[in-house]
Amino acid sequence: MGVLRISHVNIRVLDMEASLHHYINVVGMKKVHEDKQGNVYLKCWDEWDKYSLILTEADKAGINHIGYKVESDEDLDRFKKRISDYGIHVDDIERGALDSVGRALRFNIPSGHEMYLYAEKDYVGTDVGTVNPEPWPDGLVGAGVHWLDHALLMSEFDLENGVNKVEENTKFMVDVLDFYLVEQILVGPEGNQQLATWLSVSNTPHDIAFVGGPINGLHHIAFFMDSWDDVLKAADVMGKNKVKIDVTPQRHGVTRGYTIYFFDPSGNRCETFGGLGYLAQRDRPVTTWTEDQIGSGIFYHTGELNEAFTTVYT
Amino acid sequence: MTFKVLIENTDEVFGCSEGQHILSAMAKMGKKGIPSGCHGGGCGVCKVKINQGAFSSKKMSRAHVSADEEKAGYALACRIFPETDITLHVIGKLQKRF
């Protein structure tokens, strides 16, 4: 019962053709659908639902919404009441309003980011199927990522004026949607303000993350890869395709993941997130990073936060 | 063909080849006069005002450069492709962190 996983993100791109080259030939997704409005839908080879990324051409980059799949229609009834009781307006959207998706709940989390919950999305199957499957399909392109892993949303953070949407989002996700806190960065004079949080609803170290910044936005969307070797190869693919890399292969202290940060042609940051990190559990004690060790938390090897990490986003 | 780009704020000069955007040319030379971000016209940190020179440009985020600003010569350095020597002033900055 409850939320299963991240199901898709809808991001805005400035140039559809360049974006399709990026997500298909570099990231390794497949185009599965284009709707009448020109939105393009893509999926990764190891995903069974119809799509995990919607690209919308627009005059500015960033995120439109994020969707999470829940287990059943009864979950939607339950969450609808809980979200509403929390004081957040929630719309009950009819089947098909989101392409290939059943009945959905639409609402804004405390930072203002738009979120959807739904129990059904059209099933198309993975590229290896379910009967005697091969470990991976032939013909993988680019990085050949497995699935959309998580997203990090930049949330307004201004302690001097008493604004901390990271904390508000975190409380909402835990109290209302039954996510649990896995890691956090605490800052401020008392060392008790959440500047960043990583939350899970499954057993991956994060199904969503929030970091504080001057304005709301999208920090990155991340795709899963098996291993460090896959991450290195993905970086080679990016070099070959002249992709703007933000941070070359490196380990995160937080979540222990193997990472590359890179940008799509509209400036939306992507990540290839390698390895499980660790198996997150609801009773696993929360990991805390202190303000003086933020650099090691984010980029474990250099121990230094690059200036772009919290300032460059869409 | 290589064009000269002058950053007024820092007096830095670097070459930019035809077909290359200004930010990429600067970064490849190891210079740092213009803040370097996404290189895709989305994040806005490399905002500049072109004071002299001709150029072509690619689509840039309206969240950072309005249509009126674009007419007045404001642009994102990562979307600007020089067609003559260029003189520019840096407007963008990496914002206060927290």
Side-chain angles (χ1 to χ4, degrees):
Chain A
M1 294 287 281
V3 178
L4 291 174
R5 64 174 174 278
I6 189 169
S7 178
H8 73 254
V9 287
N10 174 204
I11 61 170
R12 297 185 298 267
V13 297
L14 301 174
D15 178 337
M16 184 61 82
E17 198 183 329
S19 303
L20 287 175
H21 170 74
H22 177 86
Y23 287 103
I24 293 171
N25 296 318
V26 177
V27 176
M29 301 181 85
K30 278 186 179 167
K31 177 178 170 176
V32 289
H33 178 56
E34 183 169 344
D35 68 21
K36 285 178 198 152
Q37 290 76 41
N39 300 302
V40 177
Y41 299 70
L42 301 107
K43 82 181 275 290
C44 307
W45 70 265
D46 215 1
E47 292 168 334
W48 48 92
D49 283 345
K50 187 169 175 182
Y51 61 84
S52 59
L53 181 65
I54 310 173
L55 302 177
T56 299
E57 197 161 11
D59 66 2
K60 54 186 175 193
I63 185 166
N64 279 339
H65 73 252
I66 184 166
Y68 282 81
K69 194 176 187 189
V70 305
E71 197 166 352
S72 70
D73 201 61
E74 291 75 57
D75 288 324
L76 295 180
D77 293 332
R78 194 163 54 89
F79 284 130
K80 184 180 175 182
K81 181 169 186 319
R82 287 169 74 169
I83 294 164
S84 183
D85 287 350
Y86 199 76
I88 289 179
H89 175 77
V90 53
D91 291 315
D92 205 327
I93 308 291
E94 65 186 16
R95 169 181 297 275
L98 268 183
D99 208 295
S100 309
V101 165
R103 174 196 170 201
L105 301 180
R106 180 179 62 201
F107 53 95
N108 297 94
I109 61 175
S111 56
H113 292 91
E114 189 173 79
M115 184 175 280
Y116 283 81
L117 298 180
Y118 42 80
E120 290 175 51
K121 183 182 268 182
D122 286 358
Y123 172 87
V124 295
T126 73
D127 283 12
V128 292
T130 54
V131 180
N132 308 323
E134 308 294 349
W136 41 268
D138 289 333
L140 284 179
V141 176
V145 298
H146 285 249
W147 55 73
L148 177 68
D149 187 85
H150 65 267
L152 194 168
L153 304 178
M154 291 300 285
S155 307
E156 199 186 345
F157 185 90
D158 181 0
L159 284 189
E160 282 168 23
N161 292 302
V163 177
N164 186 351
K165 294 296 179 188
V166 172
E167 192 169 273
E168 287 183 44
N169 281 347
T170 301
K171 185 167 164 37
F172 172 78
M173 297 303 285
V174 170
D175 290 355
V176 180
L177 301 186
D178 292 333
F179 281 58
Y180 60 99
L181 183 63
V182 180
E183 303 208 25
Q184 61 184 348
I185 294 175
L186 294 181
V187 301
E190 319 270 313
N192 60 359
Q193 290 289 320
Q194 287 175 325
L195 169 69
T197 56
W198 288 260
L199 297 113
S200 181
V201 74
S202 59
N203 290 112
T204 172
H206 52 333
D207 290 297
I208 196 164
F210 304 107
V211 170
I215 53 169
N216 288 331
L218 172 67
H219 189 273
H220 69 262
I221 55 174
F223 299 95
F224 184 81
M225 316 203 74
D226 273 336
S227 69
W228 179 247
D229 286 349
D230 292 331
V231 169
L232 178 65
K233 189 181 167 208
D236 291 343
V237 170
M238 291 170 208
K240 226 184 240 188
N241 284 278
K242 308 289 180 235
V243 170
K244 172 61 182 168
I245 293 186
D246 183 20
V247 179
T248 51
Q250 166 110 205
R251 184 196 280 277
H252 282 310
V254 175
T255 74
R256 296 186 196 146
Y258 322 138
T259 183
I260 307 168
Y261 282 140
F262 56 107
F263 294 103
D264 82 3
S266 309
N268 296 305
R269 190 187 274 98
C270 298
E271 178 182 25
T272 48
F273 184 82
L276 182 60
Y278 48 79
L279 193 71
Q281 306 270 316
R282 286 191 176 271
D283 68 337
R284 185 181 191 271
V286 173
T287 299
T288 296
W289 296 81
T290 54
E291 191 162 5
D292 59 321
Q293 295 298 319
I294 290 176
S296 298
I298 306 298
F299 302 120
Y300 183 68
H301 297 151
T302 58
E304 290 176 9
L305 203 55
N306 77 344
E307 216 174 11
F309 181 75
T310 52
T311 55
V312 173
Y313 59 96
T314 55
Chain B
M1 184 97 190
T2 301
F3 304 107
K4 241 189 337 188
V5 178
L6 166 67
I7 303 177
E8 290 177 346
N9 317 51
T10 54
D11 280 332
E12 282 174 282
V13 178
F14 56 90
C16 184
S17 317
E18 210 167 350
Q20 187 177 28
H21 64 70
I22 287 178
L23 194 63
S24 162
M26 184 201 76
K28 283 191 196 304
M29 300 294 287
K31 296 187 188 289
K32 296 184 186 302
I34 307 169
S36 179
C38 73
H39 289 224
C43 79
V45 301
C46 67
K47 190 169 179 177
V48 297
K49 183 167 186 297
I50 308 288
N51 286 331
Q52 273 178 49
F55 57 89
S56 65
S57 62
K58 281 191 183 168
K59 199 168 167 184
M60 54 195 95
S61 170
R62 283 282 176 247
H64 302 291
V65 181
S66 68
D68 285 346
E69 282 183 316
E70 196 171 343
K71 275 183 212 143
Y74 290 89
L76 301 182
C78 68
R79 302 286 85 184
I80 293 297
F81 300 83
E83 291 173 348
T84 65
D85 290 350
I86 294 276
T87 301
L88 62 82
H89 196 84
V90 177
I91 309 290
K93 58 178 189 295
L94 295 168
Q95 292 188 51
K96 176 173 86 81
R97 209 174 285 157
F98 29 77

